[in-house]
Amino acid sequence: MAHASRLTVLLAAIALPATAAAQEAEATIELDELTVEAMRRAQPFLDVPASLRVFTEKDIEARTIERLEDAFDASVNTLMRSQRGGNDASVISIRGVSNTAFGTDPTVAIYRDGVFVGNDATFNLTMVDLDQIEILRGPQGTLYGRNAIAGAVNVRSARPELDATYSKFDVLFGTDMTLQGRAVVNAALGTDLAVRAVAFGDYSDGWVPNLADGEEYDGAKDGGGRIQVVGRPSDALELLFSADYATDQGSRGNRGPFGTVWQDGYNAAIPYVSSISSYGTSLQATYDAGSVDLISVTAWRGAEGEGEGGDFTPSPFRQNGFTRDYGQASQELRLVAKPNATLDWTVGTFFFGSDDTRYEYTGFNFALPANSFYPGQPTLPAGYEEGTNSNLFGWSAALYGDATWHLTEKLDVLAGARLSYDHREIDYDHQSNVSGVTLGAPAQKLSQSMDSTDLSPKIGLAYEIAPKVRAYATVSRGYKAGGYNLSFAPTADLSYDAETAWNYEGGVKASLLDGKLDVSASLFYFDWRNQQIYSFNGYSVWIANAPKSRNYGVEIEIKARPMEGLELFAGLGFLDARFIDAPASQSGGNADGNWQPLASKYSVSLSAQYTRPLTAQLNGVARVDWNWRSSFYFDVDNTIEQDAYGIVNARLGVEAKDWSVYLVALNLFDQDYYTVATDNGYGPYGAPGDPRMIGVQARARF
């Protein structure tokens, strides 16, 4: 309640000058028309028959969105967190649909500049110089394919501009020695060729003390860059080449006793350290064939990661770690019809191959006495190490199509389908460095493979109730392929089955009051089968299928510009996401009726920004954002609960044509919350979210 009252004061501080200025304003400016590519073709936001949260370049800069988790925090019925700690192995929840089991495929398809990203360890790396982020809620298999059972995310970078040469710089200095720098150079090389180069780097001191070594952790150290070249060899052909690199070597990933780590910090004898690197190239060719566009996207991506630490306790006895080397190649071809009065359609093919090599291990730094784990267990020497080497190779192919038939001037018929084929094979080897002894899982060397085929359709209707008021109803199927347990498997059967779901959704989108108010609302029911979750046999943890789960809820989002200079946003989400039939949970008990992890019953996102001229060349800007969610659980068994919390971000500054300066506050009221929490056998341990950061940010364009 204290945070809510302080938020009221902040909102009032913005609203009061806006009210005074209202008497002077003679006209109200309409909201900017929003164009999205959620359906893989450019459309007005109001025409998209799906629940969609969009962040424009202006939103991204004003909200200080630097990682995908920042966008998910500002979107209702969504959340992004880490399963391992730090930024490795991200888990995304959309409408309560998430990958609760580490090692499975994500349930959300992430696309960066038209390229599918299959490696969950790189989802949450720093992003810079973005044009737009689109979060689609609900299955998006017909257009986004693999791992889109919960939804899809379309991230678009700013493209090279053919008619301009300039440079941009963005620097921030804040508390805890927070230092950020971004540089962008756009160069037009003639009328048909341009290049855009981006570089960034972030650093901050650690802020969580670790009693065991006296150091402070949870600092940031990351950087990278991107280069894009766009050329037009002819009036009909455009080529876009892109290459990027990003690395994250911060000290995030440690955990302390849940409930006290905010006050007491860590006490880890062997702190956890990790690093992640991501890199890739792509070539997109767009050919204008008259009534259709032919688009080809050829891409390769790679990633490397490693981490090592103890068990987060004061004891130096145990040590764990991992290494990971990932590579993928993809090719997509699609035909997109130009908008017309009869039929809008997209058809395409998608090919994807990946190779994922992992080593997951645990060990002891001191000798282990005989019979400690089981009768007859021999004495184990100091430096005992047990782990799994696994190599997962797979490839996928798909044909897809999506169409909107304008049956009448007001009624549209929606239809789509995706036919997918997935092949996977694994080489698995679990051993220890002591011959004949393993403790966590049976020693075994296995090679297995699987093939699966799926057809996921979508049907629906959209109707224009009134000018700029459209309603829609859709039924769509979601699918995520089966896979293999990648480490410490308890049996010789490494496999688990595919997930499937039917999503039933209806919604309305409207532009009202002469364009001053946009409203979108949706309600859904998600019928989920064979969800991939952790199970427990009394000793080992592995991935199995829960026969039935179901989620339902509502999303309402409102954007308004009631007067010149004032922009308001409000989002409200309601969600009920539960296991219905889950006979073997992570604790070995029955999870029937439990809440899905990372699913809050209520979520709210509020924003207000007021811009007012100070001089003929200078504007003053004040903004506040409040993102709140009710309590949720981190685990399938609903034993580790995050209480309800809200984060307030704010900024106050001045803007000129080519420069701006802001006072920025992130987590203004220093709200305590956790980003990840698990029970490692010693009770629940959690990692605290970022504390308050107050900084000065300056931007310039030359």
Side-chain angles (χ1 to χ4, degrees):
M1 292 300 293
H3 286 178
S5 62
R6 284 178 282 186
L7 177 67
T8 302
V9 173
L10 280 171
L11 291 173
I14 290 178
L16 284 175
T19 303
Q23 298 176 355
E24 304 173 6
E26 297 180 357
T28 301
I29 300 175
E30 294 181 4
L31 288 166
D32 299 332
E33 185 172 340
L34 186 58
T35 299
V36 299
E37 296 183 6
M39 298 292 104
R40 311 301 294 277
R41 55 183 182 267
Q43 290 176 282
F45 173 81
L46 295 176
D47 290 349
V48 178
S51 181
L52 179 64
R53 179 73 167 104
V54 181
F55 299 92
T56 64
E57 178 186 11
K58 184 171 68 173
D59 295 329
I60 293 167
E61 292 183 351
R63 290 178 174 273
T64 319
I65 293 176
E66 298 171 338
R67 300 174 185 262
L68 267 185
E69 66 180 350
D70 301 328
F72 279 92
D73 283 344
S75 175
V76 298
N77 283 349
T78 68
L79 191 63
M80 183 175 187
R81 290 294 183 260
S82 172
Q83 288 179 312
R84 195 196 293 272
N87 286 312
D88 180 60
S90 296
V91 54
I92 297 174
S93 173
I94 296 181
R95 294 176 167 177
V97 182
S98 64
N99 51 321
T100 64
F102 171 71
T104 67
D105 277 350
T107 59
V108 177
I110 305 294
Y111 275 72
R112 293 286 303 269
D113 295 327
V115 177
F116 173 78
V117 182
N119 182 8
D120 58 357
T122 65
F123 286 173
N124 204 32
L125 299 184
T126 300
M127 307 178 299
V128 298
D129 194 35
L130 298 183
D131 179 60
Q132 198 150 285
I133 300 173
E134 302 167 2
I135 300 176
L136 291 87
R137 307 180 185 96
Q140 305 296 328
T142 57
L143 288 172
Y144 288 90
R146 293 191 85 241
N147 307 340
I149 188 171
V153 180
N154 188 16
V155 179
R156 302 206 312 267
S157 302
R159 289 165 53 98
E161 299 177 38
L162 289 167
D163 57 355
T165 296
Y166 59 86
S167 57
K168 297 195 302 182
F169 299 93
D170 187 325
V171 295
L172 184 146
F173 176 74
T175 52
D176 292 318
M177 278 300 295
T178 298
L179 301 171
Q180 295 183 351
R182 284 95 172 90
V184 178
V185 176
N186 190 98
L189 308 175
T191 58
D192 297 315
L193 184 67
V195 61
R196 191 178 186 94
V198 181
F200 71 94
D202 294 348
Y203 173 84
S204 66
D205 285 343
W207 61 277
V208 183
N210 182 38
L211 182 63
D213 62 7
E215 300 292 331
E216 293 187 329
Y217 291 85
D218 284 28
K221 185 181 179 182
D222 56 80
R226 179 177 66 248
I227 186 168
Q228 293 176 296
V229 181
V230 64
R232 292 179 176 170
S234 70
D235 290 341
L237 179 63
E238 180 184 85
L239 301 176
L240 175 63
F241 171 80
S242 180
D244 66 88
Y245 175 84
T247 183
D248 189 318
Q249 298 179 340
S251 62
R252 293 176 294 273
N254 289 285
R255 304 175 203 173
F258 194 77
T260 63
V261 67
W262 269 92
Q263 293 75 35
D264 301 335
Y266 303 130
N267 191 10
I270 308 176
Y272 183 81
V273 293
S274 66
S275 65
I276 307 165
S277 297
S278 173
Y279 35 83
T281 62
S282 67
L283 177 63
Q284 177 174 307
T286 303
Y287 182 75
D288 185 347
S291 61
V292 299
D293 287 332
L294 173 62
I295 302 171
S296 168
V297 182
T298 306
W300 172 86
R301 296 206 61 81
E304 297 177 3
E306 62 181 0
E308 187 172 62
D311 56 10
F312 309 116
T313 71
S315 169
F317 176 68
R318 188 169 179 175
Q319 188 154 319
N320 311 284
F322 79 96
T323 61
R324 185 177 183 184
D325 189 355
Y326 175 86
Q328 68 169 65
S330 61
Q331 173 63 57
E332 185 167 9
L333 288 170
R334 65 181 182 270
L335 281 172
V336 181
K338 300 288 180 64
N340 60 80
T342 305
L343 185 69
D344 296 326
W345 54 267
T346 300
V347 296
T349 62
F350 178 74
F351 301 92
F352 177 84
S354 64
D355 192 292
D356 195 356
T357 300
R358 306 188 190 202
Y359 179 54
E360 302 270 351
Y361 73 90
T362 187
F364 310 122
N365 292 312
F366 306 107
L368 185 69
N371 305 314
S372 297
F373 274 83
Y374 59 86
Q377 170 229 307
T379 299
L380 298 180
Y384 173 84
E385 183 174 302
E386 176 180 338
T388 305
N389 279 295
S390 60
N391 176 248
L392 181 65
F393 169 79
W395 64 272
S396 303
L399 297 171
Y400 64 86
D402 189 270
T404 300
W405 178 24
H406 307 297
L407 187 62
T408 71
E409 290 186 357
K410 294 187 176 182
L411 179 63
D412 292 339
V413 178
L414 315 171
R418 189 181 190 98
L419 177 63
S420 303
Y421 172 81
D422 287 283
H423 171 81
R424 295 188 176 185
E425 54 189 65
I426 188 172
D427 292 323
Y428 173 98
D429 185 6
H430 186 85
Q431 305 290 340
S432 79
N433 59 359
V434 175
S435 179
V437 177
T438 57
L439 304 176
Q444 51 187 349
K445 193 171 185 177
L446 305 166
S447 294
Q448 298 177 5
S449 65
M450 67 169 65
D451 299 274
S452 59
T453 303
D454 177 76
L455 178 63
S456 292
K458 180 185 75 174
I459 58 173
L461 296 172
Y463 185 74
E464 188 178 44
I465 301 172
K468 294 191 176 183
V469 180
R470 294 177 61 85
Y472 69 89
T474 58
V475 179
S476 57
R477 187 177 188 269
Y479 164 78
K480 188 175 81 167
Y484 294 105
N485 287 273
L486 301 177
S487 63
F488 288 78
T491 70
D493 183 6
L494 305 176
S495 65
Y496 49 85
D497 293 335
E499 295 181 350
T500 60
W502 284 97
N503 185 69
Y504 307 89
E505 183 168 340
V508 62
K509 294 184 176 182
S511 178
L512 306 172
L513 303 179
D514 296 324
K516 304 174 184 66
L517 178 69
D518 285 351
V519 178
S520 60
S522 60
L523 57 98
F524 64 90
Y525 183 89
F526 189 84
D527 186 3
W528 197 359
R529 303 302 172 101
N530 286 329
Q531 180 184 354
Q532 297 160 5
I533 67 170
Y534 276 134
S535 292
F536 191 62
N537 66 354
Y539 187 74
S540 297
V541 175
W542 80 103
I543 302 167
N545 295 94
K548 181 175 174 58
S549 304
R550 69 98 185 98
N551 305 355
Y552 63 84
V554 176
E555 290 118 13
I556 301 172
E557 294 177 330
I558 301 170
K559 188 174 183 179
R561 189 175 285 172
M563 56 168 290
E564 188 172 4
L566 179 62
E567 290 193 10
L568 305 173
F569 175 84
L572 171 64
F574 165 77
L575 178 65
D576 193 296
R578 298 179 185 271
F579 298 98
I580 301 302
D581 183 8
S585 70
Q586 192 169 346
S587 67
N590 192 308
D592 292 2
N594 284 7
W595 274 82
Q596 294 284 344
L598 305 184
S600 293
K601 187 172 185 179
Y602 302 105
S603 52
V604 177
S605 179
L606 300 177
S607 298
Q609 177 169 312
Y610 181 60
T611 304
R612 183 173 183 177
L614 301 177
T615 69
Q617 289 80 33
L618 203 62
N619 290 331
V621 180
R623 181 183 180 93
V624 62
D625 301 292
W626 183 52
N627 302 312
W628 177 89
R629 62 193 68 248
S630 61
S631 62
F632 61 85
Y633 296 100
F634 283 103
D635 61 326
V636 169
D637 293 291
N638 291 184
T639 60
I640 309 175
E641 183 177 9
Q642 166 67 61
D643 294 334
Y645 70 95
I647 302 294
V648 175
N649 300 327
R651 64 173 50 223
L652 182 68
V654 292
E655 297 178 340
K657 179 182 178 181
D658 293 323
W659 62 268
S660 56
V661 178
Y662 307 95
L663 179 64
V664 178
L666 304 181
N667 193 5
L668 178 61
F669 298 125
D670 209 19
Q671 171 70 60
D672 296 356
Y673 67 101
Y674 291 89
T675 60
V676 63
T678 56
D679 190 335
N680 59 0
Y682 308 98
Y685 273 58
D690 289 338
R692 174 173 48 226
M693 193 285 296
I694 305 293
V696 176
Q697 183 178 33
R699 294 171 177 155
R701 172 172 170 151
F702 301 95

